[in-house]
Amino acid sequence: MISVSIAGGWGRAASADRAASAIPWDALRQADRRAAARWRIAGVADRRATVVPWARVPALDVLQAGRWGVAGMLDAQAIAQPWNRVPAKDLAVASGWDHTMQPRDLRLRLIYNPKPARKDLAIAAGHRRVNEYGPRFNAETALQDSLYVPGTGALVFEFGGRPYFPSTSPEVFFDFRYVPATPAIQPTDMRRTRVRWQSARRLNLGRTLPWGRARQVDGVLTDLPYVDYPGPVKPLPEPPPDPTILDTYMIANTVNLVALPSRTPIAAKNIRIGLDADSFSWSFSADIFTRAALELVQPDAEGAGELELDINGWTWVVLVERYSRKQQFPAEAYTITGATRGQLLAAPYAPLRSGLNAAQINAAQAAEAELLNTGFTLAWQATDWTFPAGALSYQSQTAMQVIAKLAETIGGVVLPARDSDHLDIVPRYPLPPWQWNDVDAPITRVIPPAMMTDLGGEWTPQPAWNACYTSGTSVGCSMLVRRAGTAGDNPTPDVFDDWLTDQPANQARGTHELSKGGNIEIVSVTIPLFPFADDHGVGLILPAHLYRVPEESGPWVGLCLGVDISAEGTGAVRVSQQIRLERHH
């Protein structure tokens, strides 16, 4: 039989109860053992004594004890605090473990885009989906569907046949402002380009040329496939048009020489103008007849006189630097000489300067810096390289001297413009001579033998160099440039230059030195100067350009070293240009 009246409530005793009882914890346990029977199955004798069937509780027991699990108010107050209430002394250190969160609070976990906390408002934006498949939004046509689009002027209304003019402080006014809704972001490449995820080579097959098999340049080919080249692709130059071959060429030469800025015509004869690859300005000379014409072009307080020369549509602007008189009874003649405006960057016009780069700079930037506040422009079309800080230094040099020295460092030349303040920096050899017959050689013009009036040649052979050692001096690098496919056993004299400070410069200079070797012939050719607008002729020949000559024995390519244009005879009616071509056999 189990006694219920001696069992205590489940909880923590208060401090006052512990002090009043003063009963040790183990002693209380022993007292409970004496008062209660052990937990076991009751014997038969116990069942006869109680005469109470098993699982039936007498009515007296029901009235004297509470049911299991529900404590009375008196017992709860006498023995312990409620189960889910924490005493006041514990509130400052910890919170109770309870179920204060209500079911309605669980909805916050189901929101896809909850409002971020205040600390995140300044650093992050909400995550929303873009308008991927909606109609394309066009800001220019967004208001075309509206019935009325107000302009920038005042609005005029008709009320009762009279125009409406709002007062300065009306009680009622109209506001037609329209604020369009901000459209959602739309992907621009989803529906128009439709680019598939695949190799880019397939997309460019229709716009590029096949590479073909590689040309053997050094060693034995390994037959390895070429990888895709991710860099820029230089397109093949278009072949020059073939000039029209005729039995007779009739050219109405026009030669005009005027003084600037008045544009007064000047009668002249024996006009010559020319340019070679080592010059930075066109040279000019002419014979004039009168003293009055000389006074128009001779130097004065404002500087050297300027002339404009027009030969068959090709125009030059020259400075008259010198003149001389030749008197012979009964007439006198004056000879004037000069150069184009590129001479203004050299002595005696340009001042001498010294410079040292304080920061890293490349050659093109250094050349452009020399032209500041001069009105000249420059196009660097040669190899560019870098100067470390303190490597680019010079003393008492003009602007043209510095630019020409930069071009000479990599084997380049300065090509001046004919009638403007512009300079082009180009390599003397656009390609090495052993590559002039390649398909991608940049041929400028075709000079047919049928147009040649004079032809001559001079044999100037040089050693067949195949290697060149280039190096800087105090700053820079050293490099052995060897012609591909050769042993490099016949080197040129070593090249040392203060401004060879980077590998591209060393390689360009070494290639230039190797290009000067071999069996060379200087071919002199005289051809007419066709008009500027004539597309069927050869045109003006310029230095540092490649030209093809289709002779009967076989076509060959030559590099122009210089050109001289002459207009002779009465009224300068006989015009021709004599060119010098460097041919490598």
mmCIF file of all heavy atoms in Angstrom, residues 183-199:
data_model
loop_
_atom_site.group_PDB
_atom_site.id
_atom_site.type_symbol
_atom_site.label_atom_id
_atom_site.label_comp_id
_atom_site.label_asym_id
_atom_site.label_seq_id
_atom_site.Cartn_x
_atom_site.Cartn_y
_atom_site.Cartn_z
ATOM 1 N N PRO A 183 11.257 52.154 -63.900
ATOM 2 C CA PRO A 183 11.149 50.795 -64.450
ATOM 3 C C PRO A 183 12.139 49.857 -63.789
ATOM 4 O O PRO A 183 13.195 50.277 -63.289
ATOM 5 C CB PRO A 183 11.469 51.000 -65.933
ATOM 6 C CG PRO A 183 12.350 52.201 -65.950
ATOM 7 C CD PRO A 183 11.871 53.085 -64.847
ATOM 8 N N ALA A 184 11.774 48.595 -63.780
ATOM 9 C CA ALA A 184 12.677 47.588 -63.229
ATOM 10 C C ALA A 184 13.837 47.341 -64.184
ATOM 11 O O ALA A 184 13.759 47.604 -65.386
ATOM 12 C CB ALA A 184 11.915 46.289 -62.978
ATOM 13 N N ILE A 185 14.912 46.873 -63.629
ATOM 14 C CA ILE A 185 16.097 46.586 -64.436
ATOM 15 C C ILE A 185 15.788 45.433 -65.378
ATOM 16 O O ILE A 185 15.209 44.421 -64.980
ATOM 17 C CB ILE A 185 17.281 46.241 -63.524
ATOM 18 C CG1 ILE A 185 17.605 47.444 -62.603
ATOM 19 C CG2 ILE A 185 18.502 45.859 -64.341
ATOM 20 C CD1 ILE A 185 18.687 47.149 -61.615
ATOM 21 N N GLN A 186 16.203 45.607 -66.643
ATOM 22 C CA GLN A 186 15.974 44.586 -67.654
ATOM 23 C C GLN A 186 17.307 44.141 -68.240
ATOM 24 O O GLN A 186 18.119 44.983 -68.613
ATOM 25 C CB GLN A 186 15.074 45.126 -68.776
ATOM 26 C CG GLN A 186 13.641 45.405 -68.336
ATOM 27 C CD GLN A 186 12.815 45.977 -69.463
ATOM 28 O OE1 GLN A 186 13.222 46.920 -70.116
ATOM 29 N NE2 GLN A 186 11.663 45.394 -69.703
ATOM 30 N N PRO A 187 17.549 42.860 -68.320
ATOM 31 C CA PRO A 187 18.787 42.395 -68.970
ATOM 32 C C PRO A 187 18.773 42.770 -70.451
ATOM 33 O O PRO A 187 17.785 42.561 -71.146
ATOM 34 C CB PRO A 187 18.754 40.880 -68.768
ATOM 35 C CG PRO A 187 17.767 40.648 -67.672
ATOM 36 C CD PRO A 187 16.766 41.757 -67.754
ATOM 37 N N THR A 188 19.871 43.339 -70.921
ATOM 38 C CA THR A 188 19.926 43.792 -72.311
ATOM 39 C C THR A 188 20.369 42.708 -73.272
ATOM 40 O O THR A 188 20.181 42.853 -74.477
ATOM 41 C CB THR A 188 20.903 44.972 -72.420
ATOM 42 O OG1 THR A 188 22.185 44.553 -71.947
ATOM 43 C CG2 THR A 188 20.399 46.139 -71.577
ATOM 44 N N ASP A 189 20.984 41.657 -72.784
ATOM 45 C CA ASP A 189 21.508 40.637 -73.683
ATOM 46 C C ASP A 189 20.713 39.336 -73.641
ATOM 47 O O ASP A 189 21.172 38.314 -74.126
ATOM 48 C CB ASP A 189 22.967 40.310 -73.326
ATOM 49 C CG ASP A 189 23.852 41.516 -73.483
ATOM 50 O OD1 ASP A 189 23.498 42.366 -74.309
ATOM 51 O OD2 ASP A 189 24.864 41.606 -72.795
ATOM 52 N N MET A 190 19.517 39.344 -73.050
ATOM 53 C CA MET A 190 18.766 38.098 -72.905
ATOM 54 C C MET A 190 18.012 37.719 -74.166
ATOM 55 O O MET A 190 17.868 36.556 -74.500
ATOM 56 C CB MET A 190 17.787 38.219 -71.729
ATOM 57 C CG MET A 190 18.468 38.327 -70.375
ATOM 58 S SD MET A 190 19.379 36.850 -69.945
ATOM 59 C CE MET A 190 18.023 35.680 -69.817
ATOM 60 N N ARG A 191 17.511 38.724 -74.902
ATOM 61 C CA ARG A 191 16.612 38.405 -76.001
ATOM 62 C C ARG A 191 17.109 38.878 -77.363
ATOM 63 O O ARG A 191 16.499 38.604 -78.376
ATOM 64 C CB ARG A 191 15.247 39.033 -75.735
ATOM 65 C CG ARG A 191 14.655 38.643 -74.396
ATOM 66 C CD ARG A 191 13.324 39.287 -74.162
ATOM 67 N NE ARG A 191 12.341 38.853 -75.147
ATOM 68 C CZ ARG A 191 11.059 39.281 -75.152
ATOM 69 N NH1 ARG A 191 10.658 40.141 -74.236
ATOM 70 N NH2 ARG A 191 10.224 38.873 -76.069
ATOM 71 N N ARG A 192 18.227 39.638 -77.391
ATOM 72 C CA ARG A 192 18.677 40.193 -78.656
ATOM 73 C C ARG A 192 19.909 39.463 -79.191
ATOM 74 O O ARG A 192 19.962 39.096 -80.346
ATOM 75 C CB ARG A 192 18.986 41.681 -78.499
ATOM 76 C CG ARG A 192 17.736 42.516 -78.219
ATOM 77 C CD ARG A 192 18.062 43.995 -78.236
ATOM 78 N NE ARG A 192 16.863 44.795 -78.023
ATOM 79 C CZ ARG A 192 16.867 46.114 -78.028
ATOM 80 N NH1 ARG A 192 17.978 46.780 -78.252
ATOM 81 N NH2 ARG A 192 15.742 46.781 -77.818
ATOM 82 N N THR A 193 20.909 39.309 -78.325
ATOM 83 C CA THR A 193 22.133 38.712 -78.835
ATOM 84 C C THR A 193 22.030 37.194 -78.985
ATOM 85 O O THR A 193 22.493 36.644 -79.965
ATOM 86 C CB THR A 193 23.283 39.046 -77.885
ATOM 87 O OG1 THR A 193 22.963 38.577 -76.566
ATOM 88 C CG2 THR A 193 23.485 40.549 -77.818
ATOM 89 N N ARG A 194 21.454 36.538 -77.980
ATOM 90 C CA ARG A 194 21.317 35.090 -78.006
ATOM 91 C C ARG A 194 22.667 34.417 -78.298
ATOM 92 O O ARG A 194 22.815 33.631 -79.230
ATOM 93 C CB ARG A 194 20.276 34.651 -79.040
ATOM 94 C CG ARG A 194 18.878 35.165 -78.726
ATOM 95 C CD ARG A 194 17.840 34.558 -79.638
ATOM 96 N NE ARG A 194 16.517 35.064 -79.337
ATOM 97 C CZ ARG A 194 15.729 34.582 -78.390
ATOM 98 N NH1 ARG A 194 16.157 33.566 -77.662
ATOM 99 N NH2 ARG A 194 14.530 35.097 -78.169
ATOM 100 N N VAL A 195 23.674 34.813 -77.521
ATOM 101 C CA VAL A 195 24.995 34.217 -77.671
ATOM 102 C C VAL A 195 25.037 32.917 -76.877
ATOM 103 O O VAL A 195 24.739 32.891 -75.690
ATOM 104 C CB VAL A 195 26.090 35.193 -77.172
ATOM 105 C CG1 VAL A 195 27.450 34.563 -77.304
ATOM 106 C CG2 VAL A 195 26.021 36.479 -77.972
ATOM 107 N N ARG A 196 25.388 31.877 -77.553
ATOM 108 C CA ARG A 196 25.483 30.597 -76.871
ATOM 109 C C ARG A 196 26.821 30.472 -76.156
ATOM 110 O O ARG A 196 27.810 31.059 -76.555
ATOM 111 C CB ARG A 196 25.323 29.455 -77.885
ATOM 112 C CG ARG A 196 23.932 29.383 -78.512
ATOM 113 C CD ARG A 196 23.892 28.306 -79.562
ATOM 114 N NE ARG A 196 24.789 28.630 -80.663
ATOM 115 C CZ ARG A 196 25.034 27.799 -81.688
ATOM 116 N NH1 ARG A 196 24.461 26.619 -81.717
ATOM 117 N NH2 ARG A 196 25.858 28.160 -82.645
ATOM 118 N N TRP A 197 26.820 29.643 -75.147
ATOM 119 C CA TRP A 197 28.033 29.444 -74.357
ATOM 120 C C TRP A 197 28.905 28.423 -75.079
ATOM 121 O O TRP A 197 28.710 27.228 -75.008
ATOM 122 C CB TRP A 197 27.669 28.954 -72.961
ATOM 123 C CG TRP A 197 28.842 28.776 -72.072
ATOM 124 C CD1 TRP A 197 29.549 27.650 -71.844
ATOM 125 C CD2 TRP A 197 29.491 29.781 -71.298
ATOM 126 N NE1 TRP A 197 30.581 27.866 -70.992
ATOM 127 C CE2 TRP A 197 30.565 29.173 -70.634
ATOM 128 C CE3 TRP A 197 29.277 31.137 -71.098
ATOM 129 C CZ2 TRP A 197 31.411 29.866 -69.784
ATOM 130 C CZ3 TRP A 197 30.119 31.822 -70.243
ATOM 131 C CH2 TRP A 197 31.165 31.185 -69.598
ATOM 132 N N GLN A 198 29.881 28.933 -75.821
ATOM 133 C CA GLN A 198 30.751 28.063 -76.585
ATOM 134 C C GLN A 198 32.013 28.834 -76.921
ATOM 135 O O GLN A 198 32.206 29.966 -76.479
ATOM 136 C CB GLN A 198 30.067 27.599 -77.880
ATOM 137 C CG GLN A 198 29.646 28.755 -78.796
ATOM 138 C CD GLN A 198 28.919 28.252 -80.019
ATOM 139 O OE1 GLN A 198 28.717 27.058 -80.170
ATOM 140 N NE2 GLN A 198 28.509 29.153 -80.880
ATOM 141 N N SER A 199 32.876 28.248 -77.680
ATOM 142 C CA SER A 199 34.137 28.870 -78.035
ATOM 143 C C SER A 199 33.885 30.090 -78.909
ATOM 144 O O SER A 199 33.024 30.080 -79.784
ATOM 145 C CB SER A 199 35.032 27.871 -78.780
ATOM 146 O OG SER A 199 36.213 28.509 -79.206
#
